[in-house]
Amino acid sequence: MTADDSFNRLDDDYPAYTMGRAADMLGTTQGFLRALGEARLITPLRSAGGHRRYARYQLRIAARARELVDQGTPIEAACRIIILEEAQRFNAEYRRAAESTNPTAAA
């Protein structure tokens, strides 16, 4: 393994965490992670053996879902809220990128 291979494995998109490890890190149950998958908020990748693997960005989304659920929000509503939050974040990043490449268009 080269240094470049090691760096890629630390990427936010790399599915490095098993379901058990992810649940431990989030302080939740595996069932909660399954429920997020069933709600299609996060879709874990599968190992060759069929086991769920989670990436860091998925764990951040799951942590936000847990925060909302802990505040009393039903899981389905929490998923919708997070999807809207992510869309707003994406749109803001897109706008910033567009403005930086064409500053006159923003005026």
Side-chain angles (χ1 to χ4, degrees):
M1 179 183 298
T2 67
D4 287 336
D5 292 336
S6 297
F7 178 74
N8 289 334
R9 291 182 177 264
L10 298 176
D11 189 328
D12 266 3
D13 296 326
Y14 184 75
Y17 303 98
T18 63
M19 177 180 271
R21 178 69 179 129
D24 287 344
M25 290 171 66
L26 296 170
T28 190
T29 65
Q30 293 181 16
F32 180 77
L33 292 173
R34 280 189 209 95
L36 295 179
E38 289 169 12
R40 293 190 279 174
L41 180 63
I42 56 175
T43 304
L45 294 175
R46 298 284 182 148
S47 68
H51 300 282
R52 290 173 179 89
R53 301 284 182 184
Y54 296 89
R56 288 180 186 174
Y57 82 90
Q58 291 173 317
L59 297 183
R60 281 195 297 273
I61 291 171
R64 176 67 176 131
R66 177 165 184 227
E67 179 182 314
L68 290 169
V69 169
D70 286 351
Q71 293 172 1
T73 306
I75 195 164
E76 298 83 9
C79 292
R80 287 191 298 270
I81 290 167
I82 294 165
I83 289 167
L84 291 171
E85 289 173 345
E86 288 296 302
Q88 287 178 326
R89 185 186 59 78
F90 178 78
N91 286 337
E93 288 176 11
Y94 180 77
R95 254 182 265 129
R96 278 192 297 274
E99 289 170 0
S100 68
T101 58
N102 190 3
T104 58

